[in-house]
């Protein structure tokens, strides 16, 4: 019988350049397939498109890998942002850290460790993160059951968290009878109204994905601009990321729609991997058809017709989220910030405030009350 792997059998390598990262692409893909069952958001592909879209000159790779007999058994895919030698260094997982107005909201990112080698690697990884020489770490949308959450909360550093919830439907155990009477009534009423206008519900053909993205975008933006909000599609980088991803991974994109007179009036946009259909974005003709509850109908139709084991609403508010009405499983999620150097962070924030006040004074030298 083969003995259990111990720390002495492991070779650790830091990766700080994209050339070195490119060398292990196949290894990353193989490890993700084993550990995460092909989880889309921890995949190399997702991270490559994110890097192509968002990477900036003051960002720096900081990836740790573990090897045993030339096999990749763990990867910690991080990077840090530092504008200059005087600014704070902030550690992020690859896939997060872009400006809020441009973000794609990568969820379920993780530290990937081969399940057979977790006990032999986790201590080294924890120490490596603690000794990163960064001032802080920020990690959003972290599943409480993830390896990263286990490691980060064990660092015994100055940690702050905010809680959220993952809303996940196990389609094999879910039934319409699990819904409230009101939800079932809304669904039946909506379907009956759609039947009266000879509407159709279905999956969008792959060759029509690009066209339907543009239609959904118009629906979505019109709705949010009507609320005096920018809407998700206002960012060029946001749109560029999704365009690149659709081009490079068409098999990981799914769309559903409601058609009336052969014209789409409501559209849902999903990502998918080997186990899960992830609801990501939506849009509908609010002026003409909002009374039909088109998004609710598409969700319930999607759950019923999903061929994957799971239908994922992804992260939402812990309380009062509309997603809870679909009777999903609810898993704790966290947004984590670790302050490795609290004093430095406090000083940095104070200096930033002083700088902002100084700028305000220079912009208004005559002390005119701008408020």
């Amino acid at each position: 019988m083969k003995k259990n792997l111990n720390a002495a059998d492991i070779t650790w390598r830091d990766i700080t350049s994209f050339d070195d990262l490119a060398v292990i692409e196949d290894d990353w893909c193989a490890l993700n397939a084993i550990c995460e069952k092909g989880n889309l958001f921890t995949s190399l592909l997702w991270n490559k498109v994110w890097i192509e879209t968002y990477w900036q000159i003051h960002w720096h790779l900081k990836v740790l890998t573990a090897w045993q007999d030339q096999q990749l058994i763990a990867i910690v895919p991080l990077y840090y942002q530092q504008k200059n030698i005087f600014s704070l260094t902030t550690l992020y997982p690859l896939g997060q850290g872009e400006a809020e107005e441009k973000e794609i909201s990568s969820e379920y990112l993780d530290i990937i460790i081969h399940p057979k080698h977790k006990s032999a690697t986790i201590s080294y990884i924890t120490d490596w993160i603690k000794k990163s020489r960064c001032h802080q770490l920020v990690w959003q949308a972290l599943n409480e059951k993830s390896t990263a959450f286990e490691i980060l909360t064990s660092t015994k550093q100055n940690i702050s968290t905010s809680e959220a919830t993952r809303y996940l439907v196990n389609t094999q155990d879910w039934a319409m009878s699990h819904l409230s009477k009101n939800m079932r009534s809304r669904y039946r009423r909506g379907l009956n109204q759609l039947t009266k206008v000879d509407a159709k519900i279905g999956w969008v053909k792959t060759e029509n994905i690009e066209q339907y993205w543009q239609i959904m975008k118009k629906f979505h933006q019109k709705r949010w601009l009507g609320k005096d909000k920018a809407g998700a599609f206002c960012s060029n980088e946001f749109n560029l990321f999704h365009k690149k991803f659709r081009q490079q991974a068409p098999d990981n994109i799914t769309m559903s729609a409601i058609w009336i007179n052969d014209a789409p009036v409501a559209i849902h946009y999903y990502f998918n991997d080997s186990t899960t259909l992830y609801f990501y974005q939506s849009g509908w003709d609010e002026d003409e058809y909002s009374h039909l509850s088109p998004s609710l109908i598409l969700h319930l139709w999607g759950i019923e017709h999903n061929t994957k084991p799971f239908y994922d609403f992804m992260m939402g508010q812990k309380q009062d989220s509309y997603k809870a009405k679909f009777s999903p499983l609810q898993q704790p999620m966290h947004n984590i910030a670790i302050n490795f150097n609290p004093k430095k962070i406090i000083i940095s924030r104070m200096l930033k405030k002083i700088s902002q006040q100084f700028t305000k004074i220079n912009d208004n030298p005559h002390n005119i009350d701008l408020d």
Side-chain angles (χ1 to χ4, degrees), residues 92-305:
Y92 293 95
L94 287 175
Q96 293 181 1
E98 67 271 32
E100 183 178 358
E101 67 274 12
K102 303 175 182 180
E103 68 182 7
I104 56 168
S105 303
S106 298
E107 299 184 13
Y108 315 139
L109 303 179
D110 205 355
I111 293 169
I112 311 173
I113 305 177
H114 194 293
K116 292 183 179 179
H117 306 313
K118 188 173 181 179
S119 61
T121 56
I122 200 166
S123 178
Y124 186 97
I125 293 171
T126 303
D127 289 340
W128 180 83
I129 291 174
K130 290 167 66 176
K131 298 174 182 177
S132 65
R133 296 185 179 180
C134 291
H135 298 115
Q136 58 187 355
L137 176 147
V138 175
W139 199 310
Q140 305 286 333
L142 190 57
N143 194 310
E144 190 171 281
K145 295 183 178 180
S146 67
T147 301
F149 183 81
E150 177 183 351
I151 289 174
L152 296 177
T153 53
S154 71
T155 59
K156 299 180 180 179
Q157 300 292 310
N158 189 341
I159 301 176
S160 60
T161 66
S162 61
E163 297 182 350
T165 301
R166 179 187 189 182
Y167 295 90
L168 181 71
V169 172
N170 183 338
T171 56
Q172 298 169 328
D173 293 335
W174 184 91
M176 196 68 67
S177 59
H178 296 166
L179 300 175
S180 68
K181 183 178 180 180
N182 179 57
M183 283 285 282
R184 295 197 303 271
S185 175
R186 287 178 65 191
Y187 187 43
R188 287 195 299 269
R189 185 166 62 250
L191 290 177
N192 288 336
Q193 290 175 319
L194 289 175
T195 299
K196 291 178 182 178
V197 293
D198 198 26
K200 298 177 182 178
I201 308 174
W203 302 113
V204 176
K205 294 180 179 179
T206 302
E207 58 267 29
N208 295 330
I209 292 292
E210 285 300 320
Q211 175 190 356
Y212 277 65
W213 169 272
Q214 297 301 329
I215 297 171
M216 179 184 70
K217 178 179 176 179
K218 290 179 181 178
F219 284 156
H220 182 97
Q221 288 302 104
K222 183 177 181 180
R223 179 168 179 255
W224 285 97
L225 289 173
K227 298 180 178 182
D228 292 326
K229 296 183 179 180
F233 297 87
C234 66
S235 163
N236 291 333
E237 288 87 349
F238 177 91
N239 287 291
L240 180 59
F241 172 89
H242 288 290
K243 182 177 181 179
K244 287 184 176 182
F245 194 84
R246 291 194 302 274
Q247 291 172 343
Q248 297 185 36
D251 292 340
N252 294 112
I253 302 297
T254 303
M255 297 183 88
S256 62
I258 298 174
W259 291 268
I260 296 178
N261 297 325
D262 294 326
V265 300
I267 301 170
H268 274 191
Y269 184 85
Y270 302 88
F271 295 113
N272 72 76
D273 57 26
S274 61
T275 65
T276 307
L277 189 65
Y278 302 93
F279 170 66
Y280 186 77
Q281 200 49 267
S282 64
W284 57 87
D285 185 340
E286 191 170 51
D287 293 338
E288 297 293 333
Y289 299 106
S290 60
H291 66 286
L292 299 179
S293 301
S295 189
L296 180 146
I297 290 173
L298 278 179
H299 276 306
L300 291 174
W301 183 90
I303 292 170
E304 287 192 301
H305 292 82

Side-chain angles (χ1 to χ4, degrees), residues 352-366:
K352 185 176 181 179
K353 282 187 176 181
I354 293 171
S355 176
Q356 289 173 341
Q357 289 297 321
F358 183 75
T359 301
K360 188 175 181 180
I361 291 171
N362 282 344
D363 290 343
N364 183 27
H366 301 294

Side-chain angles (χ1 to χ4, degrees), residues 58-60 80-89 135 344:
H58 59 274
W59 297 3
H60 311 273
Y80 66 92
Q81 297 183 11
Q82 184 181 30
K83 291 185 177 180
N84 55 61
I85 60 173
F86 302 106
S87 62
L88 291 176
T89 56
H135 298 115
K344 174 73 174 180

